[in-house]
Amino acid sequence: MTTARLVMAVAMLTVVLGCSSGGGAAASCAGVVTFENRDYLPTQDEDFTVGERLGTARIPECDDTPNHPEVAIPDGTTNAYLVEGRDSVEAIAVGDSPASARLVEIR
């Protein structure tokens, strides 16, 4: 279930960032994952190797679309994994399992 929320958050982030007026990106909480007091955002990069489990990351509650409560993201948790060749201060992988983990980078 947490992977589904993360995928939904990534999709919402793409929509929010792609639909801002004036050509600039709108600030969004969609897709944010918090681990060790650092906020990470999803990337499009799919070329990474998941390493050992680091602990539990938090998916903060997010409601960027108050007129559409059905797309709000509830507070949740997911696994945080090391990304081989990267420091966890700059990037981690998150998901229910190493096979389903997505790359997120510090914002």
Side-chain angles (χ1 to χ4, degrees), residues 11-43:
M12 285 179 57
L13 179 63
T14 302
V15 169
V16 169
L17 291 179
C19 296
S20 62
S21 61
S28 174
C29 60
V32 173
V33 177
T34 302
F35 180 70
E36 293 185 343
N37 297 317
R38 292 184 297 270
D39 291 338
Y40 298 83
L41 287 172
T43 71

Side-chain angles (χ1 to χ4, degrees), residues 1-12 31-33 42 59 73 78-79 93-96 100-104:
M1 178 81 170
T2 57
T3 298
R5 279 197 301 246
L6 185 59
V7 170
M8 172 79 82
V10 171
M12 285 179 57
V32 173
V33 177
I59 303 167
I73 299 167
T78 190
N79 293 318
V94 292
D96 290 336
S100 68
R102 304 270 305 154
L103 181 66
V104 291

Side-chain angles (χ1 to χ4, degrees), residues 48-52 82-87:
F48 65 97
T49 302
V50 177
E52 68 183 66
L82 185 66
V83 174
E84 290 186 10
R86 304 278 303 263
D87 188 323

